[in-house]
Amino acid sequence: MMIVMKPTASEEEIAAVIARVESVGATAHVSKGAEVTVIGAIGDREHVARLELDGAPGVSQVVPILKPYKLSSTQLRPGGERSVFDIGGRKIGGEHFALIAGPCTVESRDQLLDTARAVRDAGATMLRGGAYKPRTSPYAFQGLGRAGLRLLAEAKEETGMPIVTELMDVRDLEPIAEVADVVQIGARNMQNYTLLSEIGRAGIPVLLKRGLSATLEELLMAAEYVLKEGNERVMLCERGIRTFETAYRFTLDLMAVPVLKQLSHLPVVVDPSHASGRRDLVGPLSLAAAAVGADGIIVEVHPNPDEAICDGPQQLRIEDFAEYASLVEQAAALAGKAFARA
Ligand code: PEP
Ligand code: MN
């Protein structure tokens, strides 16, 4: 249920509506737009239906939220406001574009720091790198773990770039939270609901990747698990989905970008690296993603992809990154966005 207050509603009237919502055991999510305040009453449907706030002082109208996802829905933002987050001084959302770049996995000090410096100098706004890796084979390299986190902390200290790194197991939350500015929930964990609730409670910004075969509605419902715990800073990420096509690794669903942005106020990021699995496709897909209105790109870059421990064929070479970044910046400008440099 969504309670739209009158532009003339007083603070007392708004507080009275919030108290009424809470009195039935629902949660009140207040968004103060430029014109009006909207209060989302989220909770048990039957309880919410008993609110009877029509005609209450200061209330303009009471509208049901029709979609199963509530807090992520654009319906809660009748003024059309987009979510904009400040991540360690770099904004994402609205007219701010985030270029998140770095290796697939942290391998060594030199590998990480060389990449971090190169991508920062070329205009990347955040550094990615996995210390805990979700590998198809249990026999493959699983990440450097704590040692990888220490190297990420060093790279952050040296370059000033916010860190994006993956959390797979809630037991690693504390050490990851110490270094991560954004916690990535990978495609394989998109529907790990206990993990989502936990990261919601931790309150750290989340990059939520779309599951390999997840619908947009399932992605938004997963985001809802984080938002429901009071963590508003969720970024959605399209990273390619499984289709019948075998000529490339996954199919990058670029249509998801404008559609997610119609359905949700949350920023939408595109991962062209994992979608294609091929370096030659990363450039064109990135330009398309930026032009179609993505709020950011997360891309893999490595000083020596031929010797990378994982995902070598898709990682951009650091010497090619500056030109790549400049083209992406031009494509983002076509969609009215500018790189969010510090
Ligand atoms: C990654 O970004 O390192 C990754 C493993 O991606 P995904 O979860 O999308 O496969
Ligand atoms: Mn990878």
Side-chain angles (χ1 to χ4, degrees):
M1 189 82 80
M2 197 173 85
I3 301 117
V4 184
M5 302 302 291
K6 291 179 182 160
T8 54
S10 67
E11 286 304 320
E12 289 74 30
E13 287 165 341
I14 293 171
V17 169
I18 295 171
R20 174 87 186 103
V21 169
E22 290 173 350
S23 74
V24 299
T27 321
H29 292 267
V30 184
S31 46
K32 287 194 186 306
E35 300 275 302
V36 293
T37 295
V38 174
I39 300 162
I42 313 292
D44 185 272
R45 245 165 110 191
E46 284 175 20
H47 293 173
V48 169
R50 274 196 261 120
L51 276 172
E52 291 175 356
L53 280 164
D54 265 319
V59 172
S60 159
Q61 49 173 331
V62 178
V63 195
I65 305 175
L66 301 172
K67 302 283 191 199
Y69 41 90
K70 314 283 179 194
L71 299 171
S72 53
S73 166
T74 37
Q75 222 197 321
L76 265 188
R77 307 275 179 97
E81 308 91 348
R82 310 284 320 161
S83 278
V84 177
F85 309 136
D86 189 306
I87 315 276
R90 288 11 171 239
K91 290 205 170 88
I92 179 167
E95 71 266 28
H96 310 282
F97 189 93
L99 180 58
I100 307 165
C104 177
T105 186
V106 179
E107 296 173 16
S108 69
R109 194 162 180 275
D110 283 349
Q111 172 247 14
L112 184 65
L113 290 176
D114 288 353
T115 312
R117 287 186 208 106
V119 300
R120 178 206 52 196
D121 293 349
T125 59
M126 297 186 216
L127 179 67
R128 68 148 285 152
Y132 297 88
K133 296 300 300 174
R135 304 302 301 279
T136 302
S137 165
Y139 308 115
F141 176 71
Q142 304 286 308
L144 288 181
R146 297 275 180 120
L149 294 178
R150 283 193 289 276
L151 293 174
L152 284 168
E154 203 179 326
K156 176 169 159 173
E157 174 77 27
E158 187 176 321
T159 62
M161 275 198 290
I163 301 292
V164 183
T165 196
E166 179 160 354
L167 169 73
M168 294 199 296
D169 185 326
V170 78
R171 289 170 294 187
D172 301 319
L173 179 56
E174 223 181 280
I176 288 182
E178 270 173 35
V179 55
D181 295 279
V182 176
V183 167
Q184 173 173 322
I185 301 291
R188 290 153 192 85
N189 269 317
M190 187 202 86
Q191 287 179 311
N192 183 337
Y193 298 125
T194 48
L195 190 61
L196 294 171
S197 298
E198 204 63 43
I199 195 70
R201 286 190 281 275
I204 310 164
V206 176
L207 181 78
L208 178 60
K209 299 188 101 179
R210 181 180 183 185
L212 313 190
S213 304
T215 64
L216 298 187
E217 186 164 308
E218 286 163 342
L219 173 61
L220 291 168
M221 293 311 288
E224 208 71 15
Y225 271 87
V226 181
L227 299 167
K228 181 177 173 289
E229 300 300 330
N231 185 351
E232 296 181 349
R233 291 180 293 173
V234 179
M235 292 151 263
L236 307 168
C237 180
E238 161 58 34
R239 49 77 70 210
I241 51 173
R242 279 258 152 85
T243 68
F244 53 81
E245 184 54 71
T246 54
Y248 25 81
R249 205 171 176 193
F250 294 96
T251 297
L252 184 63
D253 179 12
L254 280 178
M255 218 170 353
V257 177
V259 173
L260 280 173
K261 294 183 76 167
Q262 283 166 9
L263 300 176
S264 173
H265 53 82
L266 299 172
V268 179
V269 172
V270 169
D271 177 345
S273 305
H274 291 93
S276 64
R278 279 170 46 182
R279 186 178 307 116
D280 63 324
L281 297 178
V282 167
L285 293 177
S286 301
L287 299 186
V292 83
D295 298 295
I297 285 177
I298 180 162
V299 63
E300 288 189 345
V301 189
H302 196 284
N304 186 1
D306 299 332
E307 284 177 17
I309 295 181
C310 54
D311 286 346
Q314 73 199 27
Q315 304 207 52
L316 298 180
R317 299 177 196 284
I318 52 176
E319 58 270 29
D320 297 333
F321 189 74
E323 193 189 342
Y324 163 86
S326 132
L327 292 171
V328 172
E329 190 161 17
Q330 293 172 51
L334 290 176
K337 290 169 186 296
F339 275 22
R341 292 198 173 88

